[in-house]
Amino acid sequence: MDLVLATFNARYQHASLGLRYLHANLGELKDRAEIVELTLEHRPADVVEQILAKKPRVVGFGVYLWNVLLTTETVQILKTVAPEVKVVLGGPEVSYEQAGQKLCELADAVVTGEGEETFRLLATNYLNSGQWPAAKILPGLSPNLDTTALPYALYSDEDVKNRVIYVEVSRGCAYRCEFCLSALDEKVRLFPLEAFLAEMDTLLGRGVRQFKFVDRTFNLNTKISTRILDFFLERVHLGLFLHFEMVPERLPEELKSRIAKFPDGSLQFEVGIQTWNETVSKGISRPQNYEKIADNLKYLRQETRVHLHTDLIVGLPGEDKASFGRGFDRLASLRPHEIQVGILKRLKGMPLNRQNESAGLKYETAPPYSVLQTKHLTFDEIQGFKRFAKFWDLIANQGKFPAFLTAIEQIAADETGSLFTLFWELAEFLGKRHPKLHSIGLPSLVASLEMFFDLRGEGSGLMVRAALRQDSDFRVRAKTLPPSATPKRQALHQQATASGPLH
């Protein structure tokens, strides 16, 4: 193969949509290229051996936050043993601030932004005429989505069987949230809808039942989003699971009427709240209508069977622990199935970097570049938030402890009125009992939960022990659930809701 397109995915089950777009749009070079997908478990030397066995003249690497260190080591070995092979980089991690990046120094070219057009031109000129650009940094040319080749035929039968299938009907974002690289997009652009739906129909025919839409604002264009929902509603009897990222304020009646028709386990909405502090929200160029957001989340939770995954971010300028806690309690009271507590990360090129000095934002110097402290959060507090996030995900988000969550909500209401405060204390206790924060066995975790609440008093201890016994029975029953397209944790939340008035 003259061209190898490679990347390290975070997990095997993930499939690179970006590489497939590059491959699909190579034109006359398409048959001279091959995709090589790797995971973080691969050794760099073995990867280089695998790539060089294909005798490529050009190797393109997709570079992301999670794989930049592994890619750097791989490229260094590749350029050491085969300096004649041209290395081209692309992806968000190298699209900005290339100066000083060792990986960019090792490469022969870096394509910034969308790479389909620029990479095709570079590869065509080199392979057909031996011409290599004088400049190392090559701005990506935004492709015309009306003529861009769709990549979905490049999902293999193995992908269909074992991997998440990523799709998109639009690119760009209408919002300017400063912590996100999508804030740099000039506008939202749409792929031709009928051609897209024809590809989805083909994937359904091949057996795909899970679709993860990567569009930043799926519900921005009501006409488009209703058409897509109608398309899948006509086929939902096949047993589907669809993931969409939604704008939380925008839920017109045309969408509500369709969303309400989807059965249990078929829809998941990822809803980015990020902060419930109006001043903080405005300071990151993300003004929000919180009353509207609350109304929409209530509707989705009470009137539909949508699985709600919501997001909050720790470390935004102006937000202290007390403010975050109030926002967490407000969101938790609306009962989303999951609250992902994320730690702010310094993405190269994100507009928020303009506030680094004024907001006292200090970050790790190595990936994932998480914030270490701010003017409003100490280093110790952010460490505490990391423990909080880990144990909330383990206990609440994974769906294994519905009765326990109901019990501690009641305990929090009786004591301080703040679930956040109670769970913070619990997370600190668990952090001391399980300092590695990973590979915590279920029996050990349950014993620690019982111990914490026994120490708080006999009433709390008895309530929690009874709830944990219910959860044990619930997990046993859940093991008998029939296989479906619904992922495990979403299925557990669905089953808990069906079992009674749990969290």
Side-chain angles (χ1 to χ4, degrees), residues 380 382-392 427-428 431 437:
D380 287 344
I382 288 180
Q383 289 292 99
F385 270 113
K386 291 178 180 179
R387 289 186 286 272
F388 184 101
K390 170 63 180 179
F391 287 112
W392 182 263
E428 290 300 288
L437 299 187

Side-chain angles (χ1 to χ4, degrees), residues 54-67:
K54 302 179 185 302
K55 296 181 170 52
R57 296 171 62 190
V58 178
V59 180
F61 284 95
V63 189
Y64 302 86
L65 188 68
W66 61 82
N67 70 19

